[in-house]
Amino acid sequence: MSHRSLAAFHDHDHADCTDAGLDRADALAQSRGLRLTPVRRATLEILLSRHKAFGAYEILDELKQAGFGSQPPVAYRALDFLVEQGLAHRVRRLNAFMACTHPGTDHAPAFFICTECAAVAELPEESLRAAVSDAATSIGFEVQRLSVEAEGLCPNCKADE
């Protein structure tokens, strides 16, 4: 389990997370011959700014404040690119997006969503992937995409109870 995965539920210098995430995204885009346009980069920076999932309209509001336009396609195009490139995930339960904490790796994310503070941690849960894959194979099913979303209380909110 990496420090990045655990950071969502613990105090830390979040500027380091954001800087490291942008550096990883720049390197990944360059290695793939892709362009991290200003709006894509700004969208990723928003997602990296806090360990939570953001709705598309929250992102659009922040992009608008940064001078990138106010039409929904501005945010959705950037989010589609980031998800396609593995730099962000869609958290379906929340109808929202978050930065990937393991970009450039093939993984089946497990999202742990705090129902109190809205923090979201992502862990690449390979044992879960293997278990689901084995179960699917036993019924002749081929898994093409897997993510798990669990809701509960983070360590901080649990301690506050």
Side-chain angles (χ1 to χ4, degrees):
M1 205 172 325
S2 78
H3 172 68
R4 291 188 312 263
S5 300
L6 298 173
F9 299 143
H10 300 284
D11 290 332
H12 62 286
D13 182 353
H14 200 73
D16 286 346
C17 289
T18 301
D19 292 344
L22 290 171
D23 289 346
R24 284 190 311 273
D26 286 335
L28 192 64
Q30 185 176 17
S31 74
R32 294 178 179 171
L34 301 170
R35 188 162 171 254
L36 202 55
T37 64
V39 72
R40 291 171 179 171
R41 186 178 179 79
T43 301
L44 181 58
E45 191 167 3
I46 292 164
L47 294 176
L48 289 164
S49 70
R50 292 184 294 282
H51 291 287
K52 67 169 260 185
F54 290 83
Y57 282 91
E58 288 178 279
I59 293 167
L60 183 61
D61 286 344
E62 291 201 33
L63 289 173
K64 183 172 134 180
Q65 290 174 17
F68 286 104
S70 61
Q71 297 303 310
V74 170
Y76 282 111
R77 284 186 196 121
L79 288 166
D80 286 346
F81 172 85
L82 295 173
V83 169
E84 283 173 18
Q85 297 307 315
L87 296 168
H89 294 291
R90 181 164 186 197
V91 182
R92 294 189 186 287
R93 174 73 179 99
L94 301 175
N95 192 26
F97 300 85
M98 67 175 286
C100 178
T101 58
H102 302 86
T105 64
D106 180 27
H107 63 284
F111 301 109
F112 297 87
I113 305 163
C114 182
T115 56
E116 287 295 313
C117 70
V120 181
E122 173 199 351
L123 296 176
E125 203 44 57
E126 293 311 315
S127 61
L128 184 60
R129 174 191 265 191
V132 170
S133 214
D134 289 347
T137 299
S138 75
I139 61 169
F141 186 84
E142 180 184 341
V143 177
Q144 295 177 337
R145 180 179 56 88
L146 173 68
S147 68
V148 173
E149 299 174 9
E151 294 179 321
L153 296 176
C154 73
N156 294 329
C157 292
K158 188 176 171 186
D160 290 344
E161 279 196 328

